Amino acid sequence: MKRALALSAALLSAIFGAQANAQTLNNTTVAFLMPDQASTRYEQHDYPGFLAQMKKLCPTCKVIYLNADGDATKQQQQFNSAISQGAKAIVMDAVDTAAAASLVKRAQGQGIKVIAYDRPIPNAKADYYVSFDNEAIGKLIATSLVDHLKKMNMPSGSGVLEINGSPTDAAAGLIKKGVHAGLASGGYKPLAEYDTPEWAPSKAQQWASGQITRFGKQIVGVVAANDGTAGGAVAAFSAAGVNPVPPITGNDATIAGLQYIVAGLQYNTILKPSEIVAGAAADVAVALLKGQKPKADKMLFNTPSKLFVPTLITAENLKAEVIDKKLNGQPIIAAAVLCKGYEDACKKLGINP
């Protein structure tokens, strides 16, 4: 009898505990703070992916979405606004990852969970970090370029330009570290490198133009850290009348970057469907709010982290990886969207718009 009563008590405790836990998340506010609009991914992929997963996990939760437009001060104001609106968890892709440390500590001091997203926050221990493996991305694009230059029989000792991401972005620093490792044993010396403020394509273009004037035909390739800066480099070479444009790397698999690959203006990019990482960030936010401890792949900057493996895209595998593969039952990018204005080039790659 006592055992039956004990079991009943345990069962009731579990039931009411679960109900209390569900009640805790009822109408809970979660903030999703993105860094800029220089890259189209945040509006087109990250936020929709986060919102969709949050609706599945917590239909009554309120999601605040704010974009800082590349302004660290504006992001600080948005962070404070999210707190004042009652956010219990904040997912943040920091504009300035050093300045973000004080924001993390302020929120945690009020019992608010902070998930670093895409870009780590080295000077503060966030509750979790979710991203693709940025150092691996840098090494992958650089190694791919080196191998391609060797296949083109470019002489060893020729030079490449290196266009890095923002100096205030710790993820850009990891990509840069990977790029250096990828170039180190390749035999193609870095002629010059540049940390692009706010990842701005216009600033990348301006810098690349100066280097084209400076180095001319010594430049046999460019390692650009994302598709935006790659586009800036393409514009600089085109404006200088360089034809063909030397092989240029990228990252993010934006529509523009993939179209440049189709057109032969960009050599590679990195496919990292942001919806996957955004969905994982939602999973982590809900788990933390429930008092759970999400499993981590590794510790990075003293923060439990989950890092997804990126996929390198070139003209050779673009159709198979971007058009033929499905995400949630749909092509990652529809052929009709990718090939708009590039129909003939798409057909050469076997892509029928």
Side-chain angles (χ1 to χ4, degrees):
M1 183 69 172
K2 288 182 179 180
R3 177 174 177 149
L5 288 171
L7 287 171
S8 297
L11 182 60
L12 287 170
S13 176
I15 292 171
F16 286 118
Q19 289 176 344
N21 198 34
Q23 184 64 31
T24 300
L25 291 188
N26 191 36
N27 297 318
T28 299
T29 298
V30 177
F32 192 68
L33 309 184
M34 294 296 100
D36 62 64
Q37 298 192 51
S39 174
T40 58
R41 54 169 280 198
Y42 302 112
E43 307 288 334
Q44 296 178 357
H45 301 286
D46 296 73
Y47 173 54
F50 183 78
L51 184 62
Q53 187 67 359
M54 282 299 302
K55 285 183 177 179
K56 289 180 184 178
L57 299 173
C58 183
T60 63
C61 284
K62 176 185 176 183
V63 176
I64 299 170
Y65 170 62
L66 298 167
N67 191 300
D69 299 318
D71 186 333
T73 301
K74 183 176 181 179
Q75 187 168 66
Q76 180 179 346
Q77 294 167 349
Q78 291 175 341
F79 192 95
N80 292 336
S81 175
I83 292 176
S84 68
Q85 292 181 63
K88 299 302 180 185
I90 298 175
V91 178
M92 178 171 61
D93 194 339
V95 175
D96 186 328
T97 51
S102 62
L103 301 179
V104 173
K105 294 171 184 176
R106 183 185 311 157
Q108 290 174 333
Q110 298 178 50
I112 299 168
K113 303 298 184 181
V114 180
I115 297 105
Y117 181 83
D118 196 35
R119 304 172 183 181
I121 303 172
N123 298 327
K125 183 180 179 180
D127 293 280
Y128 207 89
Y129 171 51
V130 182
S131 179
F132 280 91
D133 190 331
N134 288 296
E135 188 171 337
I137 286 171
K139 187 171 183 179
L140 200 55
I141 59 176
T143 302
S144 169
L145 177 67
V146 167
D147 291 344
H148 184 60
L149 293 175
K150 288 178 178 178
K151 287 179 182 178
M152 293 174 68
N153 295 317
M154 289 296 176
S156 179
S158 300
V160 298
L161 299 179
E162 183 179 333
I163 305 178
N164 305 310
S166 172
T168 62
D169 176 357
L174 292 172
I175 294 172
K176 181 178 178 178
K177 182 179 179 182
V179 167
H180 287 171
L183 291 177
S185 59
Y188 298 98
K189 62 183 179 182
L191 296 169
E193 65 177 294
Y194 176 64
D195 295 340
T196 312
E198 296 92 40
W199 291 87
S202 59
K203 294 178 181 177
Q205 179 180 349
Q206 183 178 13
W207 179 81
S209 295
Q211 306 314 303
I212 293 167
T213 300
R214 179 182 177 190
F215 294 108
K217 293 182 179 180
Q218 294 181 58
I219 304 168
V220 295
V222 179
V223 185
N226 77 344
D227 289 347
T229 54
V234 169
F237 281 103
S238 298
V242 178
N243 187 20
V245 171
I248 299 171
T249 74
N251 171 29
D252 288 338
T254 63
I255 293 174
L258 291 168
Q259 287 175 333
Y260 272 0
I261 290 176
V262 168
L265 295 171
Q266 183 173 320
Y267 175 62
N268 68 25
T269 189
I270 294 290
L271 178 64
K272 45 181 188 181
S274 301
E275 295 89 344
I276 294 174
V277 180
D283 292 341
V284 169
V286 170
L288 290 172
L289 288 170
K290 288 181 176 179
Q292 299 169 357
K293 187 177 181 180
K295 183 180 178 182
D297 295 334
K298 64 186 296 185
M299 296 293 287
L300 189 66
F301 298 113
N302 200 34
T303 301
S305 306
K306 183 171 184 61
L307 304 179
F308 289 86
V309 178
T311 301
L312 181 79
I313 300 297
T314 65
E316 292 180 358
N317 69 343
L318 190 153
K319 179 179 182 294
E321 294 292 341
V322 178
I323 302 299
D324 295 343
K325 282 192 176 179
K326 301 294 189 288
L327 179 65
N328 298 325
Q330 299 295 325
I332 293 173
I333 296 176
V337 174
L338 175 67
C339 298
K340 187 175 182 180
Y342 295 86
E343 288 82 3
D344 290 343
C346 273
K347 288 176 182 177
K348 289 180 181 178
L349 297 181
I351 303 171
N352 295 312

